[in-house]
Every structure is written in structure tokens, then in C-alpha cells.
Amino acid sequence: MATPSDTSLTLRLKHGIHTAVLLVDSMKPFFNIAEELIEACQECYQNAEEPLKLTTKRSFPPESTEIPSDPKLVVFARPKVAADLSRGFDRLDLNEDDTPASLGLKDNDVLAFTFLSEESEESDPQFQVTLVEDGLEVS
């Protein structure tokens, strides 16, 4: 967990029905954010059955995504339109030096995330974010 500083900012990270709010150092690479995100997910679901999963969609049976232990399998995306998340997300093609500051992210920005499977590294992963509008879930 980050200690607040002059370079700290809060990011809202969305996947399925979940939103993780993380205080991050805007000067640290996204790899560090991926590590913190996995740690937060594992902490929230530590009493769940193995393997740990995040609910992607409330349905019967619920759709879910397995939480990996490797931060290299975390992929982030930026909203196509910041004011309208229903328009979808564009994958961030990150290199190991990219930071929130280098990408111009601001405090309280929203990013989507998903996990790649260890077997296949998808070139075009799907970022599933469930939004609530007028009390109804919209994907």
C-alpha cells in the first residue's frame, strides 16, 4: 500500500462488478500498480475457495475471472470517453517504464483491468466492466 506523498494519486480500477480504489505513486511503473492490485484482490477474497476469482457478471451461474499471482498478467485500459464508461475501453500498451504520470493520468481517473491467462497471452483482451444505471446493471 502506498504512503501518501506529493506524487500520490487515487485510481479507480474496474473489472466486472468490482471497483478497486488504490492510492498509488504516480512516478512508479504500472508493474507496481499491478502488484498492489493483485495483493488487494487476494486480501479481499482470502477466505474464498481456491482459485481466487473476481465476478465479471452477475448471472446464473455467475461469470468470473481467475486472479493470477503474476503481475505481468494484469492488463490495463483507459476509457474511450472519460465521461461515458459505457463507450468501452482502449488497452494501454505499456512498457516497463510507463507510469501514471507519464501517461497523464490524474487523481481519481478510471482504468479498466483484466487478467491474461498463463497459457495464452491474448493480443486483444476483453475489458468487461459492469456499470449500474438507474439501478440496473449494464455491461
Side-chain angles (χ1 to χ4, degrees):
M1 182 173 177
T3 303
S5 71
D6 291 342
T7 60
S8 296
L9 57 87
T10 301
L11 292 178
R12 293 180 291 151
L13 306 172
K14 295 184 161 290
H15 176 83
I17 64 170
H18 304 278
T19 301
V21 180
L22 293 182
L23 178 67
V24 301
D25 184 335
S26 66
M27 305 305 284
K28 288 195 176 176
F30 270 89
F31 183 82
N32 294 75
I33 296 169
E35 286 179 319
E36 289 181 39
L37 177 61
I38 287 174
E39 185 179 310
C41 290
Q42 290 172 338
E43 189 173 309
C44 285
Y45 296 97
Q46 62 186 342
N47 295 328
E49 294 179 21
E50 296 289 333
L52 300 178
K53 295 182 179 184
L54 289 180
T55 303
T56 305
K57 192 173 191 179
R58 288 183 186 154
S59 58
F60 189 77
E63 295 176 23
S64 60
T65 306
E66 191 171 327
I67 301 168
S69 57
D70 184 355
K72 293 177 184 171
L73 297 175
V74 179
V75 183
F76 295 98
R78 199 176 214 163
K80 291 180 180 183
V81 178
D84 185 2
L85 301 181
S86 67
R87 293 269 192 76
F89 295 83
D90 290 324
R91 180 180 179 166
L92 293 175
D93 291 318
L94 301 169
N95 65 50
E96 59 185 52
D97 297 329
D98 283 331
T99 67
S102 71
L103 296 180
L105 294 178
K106 306 284 186 235
D107 192 43
N108 214 25
D109 272 356
V110 173
L111 296 177
F113 70 92
T114 193
F115 304 119
L116 300 176
S117 70
E118 293 185 25
E119 296 83 44
S120 69
E121 291 195 20
E122 303 169 44
S123 60
D124 191 26
Q126 298 298 307
F127 294 92
Q128 297 183 11
V129 174
T130 301
L131 307 171
V132 177
E133 294 179 7
D134 299 325
L136 301 172
E137 288 184 1
V138 181
S139 290

